[in-house]
Amino acid sequence: MSKRYLALAAVIFTLSPLPLWADDAAEDNRTAEDNRTAEDISARMQALETALATQQSRIDTLEAERRASDERTQAAQDEAQELKEQLAETRDSLDVLITDAMQIETRDMLSVYGFFDVTFLKSFFKQKNSLLKTQHPPYSTFMMNNINLFFKSELTQSLEVLLETGLSFAPLGHETHLESYGIIDGKHVPGILGELDKSYERVDTSVPGGIASRSIRYGSISIVRAYLDWKPLDALNFRIGQYLTPYGIWNEDHASTVLLTVFYPHVMNWDLLPETQLGLQMYGSVFPADSLKLDYAVTFSNGRGPIDTVMDLDENKAVGLRAKGTWSHGDWKIALGGYGYYGKYTDLERRAEIYLNADLTPDETSGSALGSRLYTTKKYKERVLVSDLSIAWKGLHLFGEYAFRQLEFIKHPAENPNYQFVQNGNIAERYVPNSIGRTFYAMLSWTLPLEKWTHVGVTPYVGYDGHHNDFMTDWYYQKTMHVGLNVRPSPYVVVKTEGIVDLFSERLGGRMTSIAGQLAVSF
Amino acid sequence: MTVQRLFFALFAVLFALAFSGENARAQSDEPIHVIVNNSLSITNTTLAEVKRIFRKEATAISGVRVVPINAPRTKPLRAAFVQRAYGTSVQDELATWEKLKITNGLQPPTEIDNTLKAVFSVKNGISYCFQSDYKPGTAKIILTL
């Protein structure tokens, strides 16, 4: 019991405030010190809070930077992915392109194309017994005048070959001798015209087609063009072979699908210039301005001759110069050209000779008893000038050609008795004279502006074509008027209808009026 | 019979829609780039030169020989190009080529469906494409029509 009391007393003593009461000064000192400590703690706390705020701010900044960095990283990754996909796509495209590279051929190693036409003609003659009936179909008829095949090959970028052939039914129907009767008082008097009055001859090409087959009519193939082109530069190209004479407008545009009219103009029909030449040609184009083109051609060939595509029968070579300027601006296109030609025509006969002495032994005084001699039977020189003009504006087209040919004989041949217009039957002493030929044609066409409604091209046209040659007589001329309509349902087909009035001297039959239709097809 | 008519009508509508879209593209104002192979040193040209090249009146631009490549004649790209370059229709252009074939023995440029690929592949190639079909790097633009 006493121990309990003692312990209790010790606790009470221990916990009692007696020590505080015991020393008040010390208590005051401690209070002041505690106050300073609290202030210090408060200041430190404030400093810590400030530091904490600073740290938080830095943390926030760093956090923002991290987020931004993440976004940039994501963007970079997205971009990289996109680029990767694009690269893969491009690689695939390139693979395809490279694979196709071997399959693209821009050269035509061999092209075959051509054109043909079918023509219907009905002529009406002013005179019942017009002489023109011997030169034109006397009755209405269908004809196929052109069946041309082209073979074209582009060997390299600068080497090309072109071959144009013409298929024909000729010589079927060729009248090798046109019978000419001398009529007195309505009765034929045999022999009055000498050699002219012999029987009518015409080529018949019918032959048996072989055993157990039908008979056939053979035809012919003509070589229109065959040449090699070397084109190193636009301004300097070379052509060797047989080429179309580069004159005028229609000689080179010779296809019935291209020509406006049904028949060729007189400048071509009358051969004022050789249609083709065999030899060399240098040609090219220059462009002094965007709207201006200048073309030239220099020809050097065998010229005209009886067998000029086989060989030249004289040393003289024909030369020609072509120049043409084309101005284009907006809807206008104007072209002016000219071609000059000079050459000699020579025909001759070649003979083999054996030189003998009077006793018929070989005469070798000239080195050999065998020799040859060339006899010129016909020789003339010709100068030809051709000019052409073309003016196009929208669908209107005015164009024409003028040709002048001067022919001067060096060796006059006897006139061809087969086609001499006999006046008195005395032709033996007559020779073909020098002559001057002139031809002029002008055409005006209008391609109607129907493109809003149809692709069919409709082109009405009118034209005049005149020819005069003093080769025979002053009264030989031909004046032709054309009125026609071209319908082009596709780029490959042309349907032409045309009315033609030909005026000749009354001696030749006067007027001949014709209607013609033509279907021309290119393929 | 009714089903056949329905199919026919559906086909006709689709055909008309397809071609109206094509024609619309041909007649749109979308620019056409005249493009050449990347290997060529040509940097620009004029419309007059382009016209000559595609008519084969000339074979070189600034002394550099080029090989023209056309889009197929049935494509709207061809129609748009012919209209902008020559102011004419494809029909008229084909008629011109029929004449040039006969007169000069010239053959029209090769026709290839994807002109961009063609120019990429052909060393001296020159062609054209709609702006939206052009892919940078595959060919060089020398003129925009």
Side-chain angles (χ1 to χ4, degrees):
Chain A
M1 187 63 186
S2 60
K3 289 180 179 179
R4 289 181 180 178
Y5 285 126
L6 283 173
L8 181 63
V11 169
I12 291 169
F13 180 78
T14 303
L15 297 177
S16 70
L18 288 180
L20 299 175
W21 299 335
D23 192 352
D24 290 340
E27 181 70 15
D28 292 340
N29 290 339
R30 275 202 302 273
T31 301
E33 189 175 346
D34 288 345
N35 287 340
R36 284 195 301 272
T37 300
E39 287 173 359
D40 289 343
I41 289 170
S42 177
R44 288 173 61 188
M45 285 294 291
Q46 195 166 357
L48 286 172
E49 284 176 359
T50 303
L52 184 61
T54 303
Q55 290 295 329
Q56 186 61 45
S57 173
R58 288 180 60 190
I59 289 168
D60 290 345
T61 303
L62 289 173
E63 184 66 24
E65 286 178 356
R66 187 186 63 79
R67 281 200 299 271
S69 175
D70 288 346
E71 287 173 1
R72 283 199 299 271
T73 303
Q74 185 61 41
Q77 286 175 349
D78 292 345
E79 189 177 1
Q81 181 63 29
E82 191 177 346
L83 287 172
K84 193 174 179 182
E85 289 172 0
Q86 285 181 0
L87 181 64
E89 190 178 341
T90 304
R91 185 177 289 127
D92 292 343
S93 300
L94 290 176
D95 288 344
V96 174
L97 291 169
I98 292 166
T99 304
D100 287 354
M102 301 303 291
Q103 301 168 3
I104 295 174
E105 180 56 73
T106 55
R107 287 183 293 127
D108 280 309
M109 293 308 294
L110 180 62
S111 296
V112 181
Y113 58 96
F115 68 91
F116 71 90
D117 58 63
V118 183
T119 304
F120 175 82
L121 177 68
K122 169 63 180 172
S123 295
F124 303 91
F125 302 91
K126 182 182 178 184
Q127 299 172 7
K128 186 180 178 184
N129 60 342
S130 171
L131 182 63
L132 296 171
K133 288 185 178 180
T134 64
Q135 304 296 317
H136 295 265
Y139 302 106
S140 62
T141 183
F142 288 97
M143 301 176 283
M144 290 189 77
N145 296 320
N146 297 287
I147 309 168
N148 286 29
L149 288 177
F150 292 70
F151 302 87
K152 173 72 185 291
S153 179
E154 294 177 351
L155 306 175
T156 68
Q157 280 192 10
S158 58
L159 275 181
E160 297 177 3
V161 168
L162 178 69
L163 172 64
E164 180 185 355
T165 60
L167 308 182
S168 172
F169 299 113
L172 176 67
H174 174 57
E175 294 165 321
T176 54
H177 185 80
L178 194 64
E179 197 168 15
S180 301
Y181 276 14
I183 308 292
I184 297 177
D185 293 333
K187 291 183 180 178
H188 174 212
V189 181
I192 192 172
L193 296 182
E195 284 192 10
L196 291 175
D197 191 357
K198 63 182 183 181
S199 60
Y200 179 76
E201 294 173 4
R202 184 177 64 199
V203 175
D204 182 5
T205 60
S206 300
V207 293
I211 298 173
S213 66
R214 294 178 298 175
S215 65
I216 60 169
R217 288 173 173 169
Y218 61 82
S220 58
I221 300 174
S222 63
I223 299 171
V224 182
R225 281 186 280 186
Y227 58 71
L228 172 75
D229 267 334
W230 178 41
K231 301 177 173 178
L233 297 168
D234 290 338
L236 186 63
N237 303 307
F238 298 93
R239 178 171 292 171
I240 182 167
Q242 181 170 321
Y243 49 81
L244 292 169
T245 301
Y247 78 87
I249 297 171
W250 275 0
N251 192 55
E252 290 186 296
D253 294 353
H254 62 288
S256 45
T257 51
V258 178
L259 298 186
L260 193 64
T261 54
V262 173
F263 298 107
Y264 290 129
H266 296 323
V267 66
M268 295 171 68
N269 281 333
W270 282 91
D271 284 332
L272 265 71
L273 271 164
E275 178 193 2
T276 62
Q277 298 180 52
L278 177 58
L280 299 168
Q281 184 182 161
M282 184 172 71
Y283 67 99
S285 303
V286 291
F287 305 92
D290 279 352
S291 57
L292 186 61
K293 178 187 178 189
L294 300 178
D295 298 296
Y296 77 93
V298 179
T299 57
F300 183 77
S301 70
N302 284 346
R304 204 196 295 261
I307 54 171
D308 56 79
T309 52
V310 176
M311 70 172 79
D312 199 351
L313 296 179
D314 61 30
E315 283 298 337
N316 173 270
K317 295 292 170 283
V319 292
L321 176 63
R322 165 74 167 164
K324 181 183 177 184
T326 305
W327 178 77
S328 305
H329 185 73
D331 294 324
W332 286 94
K333 186 173 184 178
I334 299 174
L336 176 65
Y339 179 71
Y341 171 91
Y342 174 78
K344 283 181 182 172
Y345 174 103
T346 303
D347 195 2
L348 54 77
E349 295 174 5
R350 296 189 291 180
R351 291 181 187 170
E353 297 181 334
I354 302 175
Y355 310 114
L356 301 172
N357 296 312
D359 59 355
L360 300 184
T361 57
D363 177 5
E364 297 182 339
T365 53
S366 60
S368 172
L370 300 176
S372 66
R373 184 165 298 184
L374 307 178
Y375 291 95
T376 300
T377 57
K378 180 179 180 182
K379 191 179 187 76
Y380 64 79
K381 54 186 176 184
E382 59 179 336
R383 303 178 188 87
V384 189
L385 288 173
V386 182
S387 59
D388 56 274
L389 175 66
S390 170
I391 302 173
W393 179 72
K394 294 190 174 179
L396 281 171
H397 191 194
L398 173 67
F399 62 97
E401 296 180 46
Y402 172 77
F404 172 88
R405 179 195 187 205
Q406 184 182 41
L407 188 149
E408 184 179 342
F409 275 95
I410 300 168
K411 169 76 174 178
H412 287 257
E415 288 181 331
N416 185 340
N418 289 349
Y419 295 101
Q420 172 59 31
F421 296 100
V422 179
Q423 295 178 15
N424 54 16
N426 181 16
I427 61 168
E429 301 302 322
R430 295 186 64 184
Y431 290 93
V432 175
N434 296 338
S435 64
I436 290 177
R438 295 182 181 86
T439 291
F440 168 75
Y441 80 80
M443 305 294 300
L444 177 64
S445 67
W446 182 33
T447 300
L448 303 180
L450 303 176
E451 54 272 5
K452 286 183 181 176
W453 298 281
T454 176
H455 287 304
V456 177
V458 180
T459 307
Y461 60 91
V462 295
Y464 168 82
D465 192 0
H467 171 70
H468 178 264
N469 195 328
D470 60 9
F471 170 74
M472 296 176 186
T473 64
D474 288 339
W475 45 261
Y476 189 82
Y477 60 82
Q478 183 176 2
K479 299 175 182 176
T480 305
M481 272 71 75
H482 304 266
V483 178
L485 181 71
N486 280 7
V487 178
R488 192 181 286 273
S490 93
Y492 314 103
V493 178
V494 185
V495 180
K496 306 175 189 176
T497 54
E498 187 174 316
I500 307 166
V501 178
D502 283 293
L503 299 177
F504 296 89
S505 163
E506 288 297 322
R507 296 187 186 194
L508 297 178
R511 187 180 69 245
M512 179 178 71
T513 306
S514 306
I515 55 172
Q518 186 178 69
L519 172 70
V521 181
S522 62
F523 53 90
Chain B
M1 190 65 181
T2 308
V3 174
Q4 286 179 340
R5 284 183 179 175
L6 278 173
F7 269 113
F8 179 77
L10 183 62
F11 177 78
V13 168
L14 290 174
F15 187 81
L17 284 174
F19 274 85
S20 64
E22 293 280 283
N23 288 334
R25 200 177 187 202
Q27 294 164 4
S28 73
D29 294 330
E30 182 176 356
I32 294 175
H33 292 319
V34 178
I35 50 177
V36 295
N37 187 279
N38 280 324
S39 66
L40 299 181
S41 58
I42 305 165
T43 54
N44 58 63
T45 186
T46 64
L47 177 59
E49 285 181 311
V50 169
K51 289 165 69 174
R52 288 179 204 137
I53 292 295
F54 281 89
R55 282 278 161 82
K56 291 196 172 178
E57 291 178 339
T59 59
I61 296 175
S62 305
V64 179
R65 188 176 280 267
V66 291
V67 177
I69 298 164
N70 256 336
R73 60 193 68 181
T74 55
K75 293 291 183 180
L77 174 61
R78 175 75 167 270
F81 175 75
V82 170
Q83 180 61 41
R84 288 180 210 181
Y86 300 101
T88 186
S89 66
V90 174
Q91 288 279 320
D92 289 340
E93 187 205 21
L94 294 177
T96 301
W97 274 111
E98 285 305 303
K99 177 181 174 181
L100 293 174
K101 278 167 63 178
I102 301 297
T103 305
N104 299 329
L106 289 176
Q107 288 288 84
T110 303
E111 294 181 1
I112 294 176
D113 195 22
N114 190 329
T115 53
L116 191 64
K117 280 185 181 180
V119 168
F120 176 86
S121 303
V122 177
K123 187 181 174 186
N124 296 328
I126 178 171
S127 190
Y128 43 84
C129 67
F130 279 121
Q131 187 178 47
S132 57
D133 294 333
Y134 176 73
K135 288 183 171 49
T138 51
K140 194 190 296 181
I141 299 170
I142 58 171
L143 183 69
T144 299
L145 303 176

